[in-house]
Structures are given as structure tokens and as C-alpha cells.
Amino acid sequence: MEQHWTLEQATAAFVRQHQDYNALYGLFAGNGFVEAGKTLDIAVDERIPLSPELQYVYSHYEIMDPSAEGSLKLKNAAVLIGDGILLCFAAPDYLDRLQLGHRWIGDVNAPQESEQWAPQHVVIATYNDDPIIADTSAEGTPVYVSFEGGDAELAAKSLADFFAALTLMIEAATMLGGEIQDEETYEVKDIYLKLVEPKLNELLGEEATNHLLVYLSLRW
């Protein structure tokens, strides 16, 4: 994959790779990002800022989650990388739920704005309940990750780079038959990191790559 894909290219590649992976292994039937085919109206809590890049993704790709229909379940797209990394991307009309405990704290029925939370930061997804954060005020919408309540660390300089990185990681997992963990130790296979890390370093830079790998428990 070449560097510096546009958001349109990176998102389209990510959605294709993510859908193909789910279909190949019979995962999450009917769930995931789906190209809308038309511009969608976005219903987002007015207190949550959206960048132009998030506006583009949410208005061109619909998040489908049949298990959430008619329930109180968080509507999200399940994105699997290999046999152990499951990212959950909330539908835009459910983003308010992801901000609880981060932007909003206290009583869930009457949460208060946290003085510790940067107002331009929006949680767009989670891994093991740890947030993936979009900086909606900066050009390109940089993406940060926060591991076990720690500081937010830069994982990609733009939303386009972040989706491109996920595409590379799913692609490498597919090359290994979806098995990126050792069956006995549950540690990440060296071959997986050898496949994906050089490409991530080229795309994201070594520091951001390290932040992403640590967040996803691919490195300690």
C-alpha cells in the first residue's frame, strides 16, 4: 500500500478489506461498514463536534448492526483483525454513549463535562473498552489511542492514515489465515509483526506505530 492515500481511497480500501475478511471467515453476518450509495443524513448529538473527515465517513458509509435492532444495545460495526483484536466503531447516532466516562463523567443520567477532557476529542471506537479518539479540530483528523486510562497517544496523523493502517493489518492477518496468535502462548506471532510493522512504520512513523501496537496488545 502506498503512503498518503486520500480519505476516500483509504476508507474504501478499509471497508473492502474488512467486509472480505468477515465474509471469508463467516463472521458478523450483516454487521459492519457498508457503502451507502447515497449521501446519508447524520444524526449526532449536537454537543459532539465532527470534523470534515468524520462527516465524510458517516455520510458515505452506513454502520450496520442487526443485533442492535429493537434493543438498547450500542449499535456498532465489529472490525476483527486476526483472531483476537476486535474493534467496535459506534454508529454516529450512538456516539454520545462512547463519550460517557471520557467527555462526560458522573451520573449517567445527568453527566457533567469533564475538565480533563479536550473538547475537540471525540471517542469514535473502542478496543477492550479503551478509546480510539479523533481530534476534530486538527487538519486531517489525527487519531489517538488511550490504553488502560493512560494519556492519549498519537496513532495516526490523519483519519485516512488510520484506516489505511487497519487495512494493512487486516490484509496481513488474511495472509496468515486469520491466525496471528500462537496457539499455546497466545502471544503475537513474529511473522505477523514482520509482515505488518515495516509497512506501518512507513505509513505512520515509528512512534505512532509503536503507540498503535501497544494499544492493540501486539507489543508490550
Side-chain angles (χ1 to χ4, degrees):
M1 175 175 290
E2 61 181 320
Q3 283 186 287
H4 307 306
W5 278 24
T6 66
L7 179 64
E8 292 82 356
Q9 292 170 328
T11 308
F14 159 69
V15 170
R16 283 196 304 271
Q17 194 71 54
H18 145 66
Q19 289 179 340
D20 288 348
Y21 190 86
N22 284 0
L24 180 62
Y25 296 106
L27 303 167
F28 312 117
N31 178 284
F33 284 84
V34 178
E35 186 173 1
K38 63 177 182 179
T39 303
L40 301 173
D41 292 327
I42 306 172
V44 177
D45 188 302
E46 62 183 11
R47 297 169 295 177
I48 299 174
L50 292 184
S51 64
E53 289 76 19
L54 286 176
Q55 289 271 4
Y56 172 82
V57 173
Y58 292 141
S59 63
H60 288 77
Y61 293 90
E62 187 172 3
I63 288 179
M64 307 296 291
D65 186 0
S67 67
E69 297 298 330
S71 75
L72 298 177
K73 177 182 177 292
L74 174 67
K75 183 179 180 182
N76 66 81
V79 176
L80 189 66
I81 303 172
D83 45 2
I85 302 173
L86 180 63
L87 308 181
C88 296
F89 285 80
D93 47 331
Y94 285 71
L95 281 176
D96 57 318
R97 293 202 199 177
L98 287 195
Q99 313 317 305
L100 295 172
H102 304 290
R103 172 184 294 274
W104 299 318
I105 58 176
D107 186 345
V108 295
N109 295 313
Q112 303 296 314
E113 293 275 351
S114 171
E115 295 181 356
Q116 308 303 318
W117 187 257
Q120 72 272 20
H121 283 181
V122 175
V123 181
I124 59 172
T126 59
Y127 169 61
N128 286 341
D129 293 325
D130 290 320
I132 296 172
I133 303 161
D135 183 347
T136 61
S137 69
E139 183 179 358
T141 310
V143 175
Y144 292 78
V145 292
S146 179
F147 181 61
E148 293 187 344
D151 293 336
E153 304 281 5
L154 182 68
K157 293 180 181 178
S158 68
L159 191 62
D161 283 353
F162 181 66
F163 281 131
L166 295 184
T167 303
L168 288 172
M169 297 180 76
I170 298 172
E171 184 178 56
T174 304
M175 294 173 64
L176 297 178
E179 298 178 358
I180 68 172
Q181 295 180 334
D182 185 280
E183 293 182 359
E184 296 182 358
T185 65
Y186 297 102
E187 293 182 354
V188 180
K189 294 179 179 178
D190 288 340
I191 184 61
Y192 179 71
L193 290 176
K194 288 179 180 178
L195 282 171
V196 76
E197 189 169 3
K199 295 179 180 179
L200 292 178
N201 283 335
E202 183 178 359
L203 175 70
L204 306 174
E206 292 185 6
E207 184 175 9
T209 293
N210 185 61
H211 291 158
L212 183 59
L213 294 179
V214 170
Y215 171 78
L216 295 175
S217 302
L218 294 171
R219 171 177 293 151
W220 300 96

